[in-house]
Amino acid sequence: MALSGKVAVVTGGAMGIGRAITETLLQSGATVVLLDVNESAAKSLLDDLHKVYGRDRTLFLSCTVESEEQVKAALQKTVDTFGGIDILCNNAGILNEGEWEKTVSINLLGVIRGTYVALQHMNKLTGGRGGVVINTASMAGLGPLLSCPVYTASKHGVVGFTRAMAAASKASDYGIRFNAVCPGFVQTDLISNTKLKLGQFSHLEDATNQLMAEMRMLAPSEVAACVLELATDETKNGEALMVFAQGKQYVTFPTL
Ligand SMILES: NC(=O)C1=CN([C@@H]2O[C@H](COP(=O)(O)OP(=O)(O)OC[C@H]3O[C@@H](n4cnc5c(N)ncnc54)[C@H](O)[C@@H]3O)[C@@H](O)[C@H]2O)C=CC1
Ligand SMILES: CC/C=C\C[C@H](O)C(=O)/C=C/C=C/C=C\C=C\[C@@H](O)C/C=C\CCC(=O)O
């Protein structure tokens, strides 16, 4: 299988897209460590996964991506348990325009934190074995969603950070590829009760619902399949892969 012998870490791995990524990576032969704050969802998922994949290829570690200490401990535990990290999926994210600083803290700072801590373990220049980092951005990382400006900003930041890290890693010979997956609307808890999550922009919910209707919804598994593509195609570095109901498309960015 494509990922046999590989060790993957998935943040926000207990639910939604992260759960689908976890399952897809396991199906491809990887060992998966899922980090999440929702212990009940994670433990329920682990029970299901153990029945299919056994107990030796999955591990749940309670961890918020907002905490440097917790992320460092979780990734160290991963290395101590499984010998290294080959794949990091910075997937954890929220939608909350009312608590916009928390949105930035999780969606962007959490991606930066996970990347920098994992770099210490994955970087070939510091004893790592290289690998790939896949960040869950959004199509809102490529264009504006008027009902959630801060969410849009956080996802634009993820795309920019991913592309810059890809270039830095290539120039520095870290041996690590960096890519972003940019889904449209996906049927998960994140987009439930959106009126409450849009804060001062809740009056714009209808406009977003109309866009949602036009674009149609994705299943989490469709996003996970694109994550697997970015993980296994070693020619992909610095890419942003858009995923929408009609298909997928790599973004062509302007060359400076
Ligand atoms: N659902 C959608 O329409 C889209 C979602 N995305 C992105 O996909 C990613 C996953 O979102 P969904 O699966 O849709 O949401 P979800 O709400 O179903 O799952 C998010 C997971 O992240 C976990 N999480 C939240 N805060 C955390 C923290 N501080 N530390 C660790 N884990 C934390 C949650 O417990 C949950 O398990 C997010 O980054 C989101 O922005 C991107 C495009 C579309
Ligand atoms: C209220 C729900 C908000 C966000 C939910 C979800 O997390 C999410 O991220 C959904 C994003 C969906 C975006 C859909 C379309 C975006 C359209 C425009 O912003 C332009 C986007 C991309 C243009 C890029 C290009 O065409 O090259």
Side-chain angles (χ1 to χ4, degrees), residues 146-147 194-195 198 201-214:
L146 75 170
S147 60
T194 48
K195 199 163 187 77
L198 298 181
F201 303 102
S202 59
H203 62 284
L204 299 173
E205 186 197 25
D206 289 348
T208 302
N209 286 343
Q210 185 178 334
L211 184 60
M212 216 180 280
E214 288 166 8

Short mmCIF file of all heavy atoms in Angstrom, two decimals, residues 146-147 194-195 198 201-214:
data_model
loop_
_atom_site.label_atom_id
_atom_site.label_comp_id
_atom_site.label_asym_id
_atom_site.label_seq_id
_atom_site.Cartn_x
_atom_site.Cartn_y
_atom_site.Cartn_z
N LEU A 146 -17.70 36.76 2.07
CA LEU A 146 -18.09 38.05 2.68
C LEU A 146 -18.66 37.89 4.08
O LEU A 146 -18.60 38.82 4.90
CB LEU A 146 -19.09 38.78 1.78
CG LEU A 146 -20.54 38.31 1.73
CD1 LEU A 146 -21.41 39.32 0.98
CD2 LEU A 146 -20.68 36.95 1.10
N SER A 147 -19.17 36.71 4.40
CA SER A 147 -19.81 36.54 5.72
C SER A 147 -18.82 36.19 6.81
O SER A 147 -19.18 36.15 7.99
CB SER A 147 -20.87 35.43 5.64
OG SER A 147 -20.25 34.21 5.25
N THR A 194 -24.56 28.09 11.15
CA THR A 194 -23.62 29.14 10.72
C THR A 194 -24.05 30.53 11.21
O THR A 194 -23.21 31.38 11.47
CB THR A 194 -23.50 29.17 9.18
OG1 THR A 194 -24.81 29.15 8.62
CG2 THR A 194 -22.67 28.01 8.68
N LYS A 195 -25.37 30.76 11.37
CA LYS A 195 -25.81 32.11 11.77
C LYS A 195 -25.12 32.51 13.07
O LYS A 195 -24.67 33.63 13.25
CB LYS A 195 -27.32 32.18 11.94
CG LYS A 195 -27.89 33.61 11.88
CD LYS A 195 -29.37 33.62 11.64
CE LYS A 195 -29.92 35.02 11.42
NZ LYS A 195 -29.62 35.54 10.07
N LEU A 198 -21.33 33.47 12.51
CA LEU A 198 -20.95 34.60 11.65
C LEU A 198 -20.87 35.93 12.40
O LEU A 198 -20.52 36.96 11.83
CB LEU A 198 -21.92 34.69 10.45
CG LEU A 198 -21.93 33.48 9.53
CD1 LEU A 198 -22.90 33.69 8.38
CD2 LEU A 198 -20.53 33.15 9.02
N PHE A 201 -21.62 39.51 11.12
CA PHE A 201 -21.94 39.36 9.70
C PHE A 201 -23.06 38.33 9.47
O PHE A 201 -23.27 37.86 8.36
CB PHE A 201 -20.68 38.97 8.93
CG PHE A 201 -19.56 39.96 9.09
CD1 PHE A 201 -18.50 39.69 9.95
CD2 PHE A 201 -19.59 41.18 8.43
CE1 PHE A 201 -17.47 40.61 10.14
CE2 PHE A 201 -18.56 42.11 8.61
CZ PHE A 201 -17.51 41.83 9.47
N SER A 202 -23.79 38.00 10.54
CA SER A 202 -24.84 37.00 10.41
C SER A 202 -25.92 37.44 9.43
O SER A 202 -26.61 36.61 8.83
CB SER A 202 -25.46 36.72 11.79
OG SER A 202 -26.00 37.92 12.32
N HIS A 203 -26.04 38.75 9.21
CA HIS A 203 -27.04 39.24 8.24
C HIS A 203 -26.67 38.84 6.81
O HIS A 203 -27.48 38.96 5.89
CB HIS A 203 -27.18 40.77 8.36
CG HIS A 203 -25.92 41.53 8.06
ND1 HIS A 203 -24.86 41.60 8.94
CD2 HIS A 203 -25.54 42.22 6.95
CE1 HIS A 203 -23.89 42.32 8.41
NE2 HIS A 203 -24.27 42.70 7.21
N LEU A 204 -25.44 38.35 6.63
CA LEU A 204 -24.99 37.94 5.28
C LEU A 204 -25.08 36.43 5.09
O LEU A 204 -24.58 35.88 4.10
CB LEU A 204 -23.55 38.42 5.06
CG LEU A 204 -23.36 39.94 5.11
CD1 LEU A 204 -21.88 40.30 5.04
CD2 LEU A 204 -24.13 40.62 3.97
N GLU A 205 -25.74 35.75 6.03
CA GLU A 205 -25.83 34.28 5.95
C GLU A 205 -26.50 33.83 4.65
O GLU A 205 -26.06 32.88 4.00
CB GLU A 205 -26.60 33.72 7.14
CG GLU A 205 -26.58 32.20 7.18
CD GLU A 205 -27.65 31.60 8.09
OE1 GLU A 205 -28.70 32.26 8.34
OE2 GLU A 205 -27.42 30.46 8.54
N ASP A 206 -27.55 34.55 4.25
CA ASP A 206 -28.28 34.13 3.04
C ASP A 206 -27.38 34.13 1.81
O ASP A 206 -27.44 33.24 0.97
CB ASP A 206 -29.49 35.06 2.81
CG ASP A 206 -30.58 34.81 3.84
OD1 ASP A 206 -30.48 33.79 4.56
OD2 ASP A 206 -31.50 35.64 3.95
N ALA A 207 -26.50 35.14 1.73
CA ALA A 207 -25.61 35.21 0.56
C ALA A 207 -24.69 33.99 0.53
O ALA A 207 -24.45 33.39 -0.53
CB ALA A 207 -24.78 36.49 0.64
N THR A 208 -24.22 33.59 1.69
CA THR A 208 -23.33 32.42 1.75
C THR A 208 -24.11 31.13 1.50
O THR A 208 -23.63 30.23 0.81
CB THR A 208 -22.62 32.36 3.11
OG1 THR A 208 -21.89 33.57 3.29
CG2 THR A 208 -21.66 31.18 3.19
N ASN A 209 -25.33 31.09 2.03
CA ASN A 209 -26.16 29.90 1.77
C ASN A 209 -26.44 29.75 0.27
O ASN A 209 -26.46 28.64 -0.27
CB ASN A 209 -27.47 30.00 2.54
CG ASN A 209 -27.27 29.73 4.03
OD1 ASN A 209 -26.24 29.19 4.44
ND2 ASN A 209 -28.22 30.16 4.84
N GLN A 210 -26.60 30.90 -0.40
CA GLN A 210 -26.84 30.84 -1.86
C GLN A 210 -25.60 30.30 -2.58
O GLN A 210 -25.71 29.43 -3.45
CB GLN A 210 -27.15 32.25 -2.38
CG GLN A 210 -27.53 32.28 -3.87
CD GLN A 210 -27.88 33.68 -4.35
OE1 GLN A 210 -28.31 34.54 -3.55
NE2 GLN A 210 -27.68 33.92 -5.64
N LEU A 211 -24.42 30.76 -2.13
CA LEU A 211 -23.17 30.24 -2.72
C LEU A 211 -23.04 28.75 -2.45
O LEU A 211 -22.67 27.97 -3.32
CB LEU A 211 -21.98 31.00 -2.10
CG LEU A 211 -20.59 30.69 -2.63
CD1 LEU A 211 -20.48 30.99 -4.11
CD2 LEU A 211 -19.55 31.50 -1.82
N MET A 212 -23.43 28.36 -1.23
CA MET A 212 -23.36 26.94 -0.85
C MET A 212 -24.26 26.12 -1.77
O MET A 212 -23.88 25.04 -2.23
CB MET A 212 -23.82 26.81 0.62
CG MET A 212 -23.11 25.77 1.44
SD MET A 212 -23.76 25.72 3.12
CE MET A 212 -22.94 27.11 3.87
N ALA A 213 -25.44 26.65 -2.03
CA ALA A 213 -26.39 25.93 -2.88
C ALA A 213 -25.86 25.83 -4.31
O ALA A 213 -25.96 24.79 -4.96
CB ALA A 213 -27.73 26.65 -2.86
N GLU A 214 -25.26 26.92 -4.77
CA GLU A 214 -24.72 26.92 -6.15
C GLU A 214 -23.57 25.93 -6.30
O GLU A 214 -23.45 25.22 -7.29
CB GLU A 214 -24.23 28.32 -6.52
CG GLU A 214 -25.34 29.33 -6.73
CD GLU A 214 -24.79 30.77 -6.74
OE1 GLU A 214 -23.55 30.94 -6.73
OE2 GLU A 214 -25.62 31.69 -6.74
#
